[in-house]
Amino acid sequence: MREVDLDAFAAAWAERALVLDVRESEEYRAGHVPGARLAPLSTLAAAVGEVPKDRPVHVICASGNRSQWAAERLAAAGADAISVAGGTGDWARTGRPPVTGRAPGAA
């Protein structure tokens, strides 16, 4: 399982990287990285088949713990999954504004 720091993630995000947020719906609605797709850890197993295998997938959570676990599972299923260290919490703390509201689409 690969992991990137927030600066590397921000650069990938600026290039329109695919981002999966594995937090629960309530957490996602309270604030997420713009464009992140919701794929809650509690239902990740059902979404594994929908995760693209032909491009990197950046996996994010609140702090980086759940995203590591999820990225390992996705990688085992053949995805090029990359965990984002520091998660959405660090995204916001470093002045990158999260957005609120419903998911643009689940994985």
Side-chain angles (χ1 to χ4, degrees):
M1 186 275 309
R2 296 186 301 155
E3 183 176 61
V4 295
D5 66 19
L6 198 58
D7 290 333
F9 168 66
W13 175 82
E15 295 294 322
R16 307 183 63 85
L18 175 59
V19 181
L20 290 184
D21 190 321
V22 295
R23 297 174 302 152
E24 296 303 314
S25 297
E26 307 79 44
E27 295 173 283
Y28 181 93
R29 284 192 302 270
H32 57 272
V33 171
R37 295 173 62 189
L38 179 62
L41 193 60
S42 62
T43 61
L44 186 64
V48 166
E50 298 176 37
V51 175
K53 308 250 185 325
D54 61 346
R55 64 185 281 206
V57 178
H58 288 77
V59 184
I60 196 165
C61 64
S63 65
N65 293 324
R66 288 178 281 182
S67 65
Q68 285 181 348
W69 190 90
E72 288 174 2
R73 297 317 171 273
L74 292 170
D80 183 8
I82 306 162
S83 177
V84 179
T88 306
D90 279 358
W91 176 269
R93 280 189 288 281
T94 58
R96 296 170 175 104
V99 294
T100 59
R102 295 181 50 133

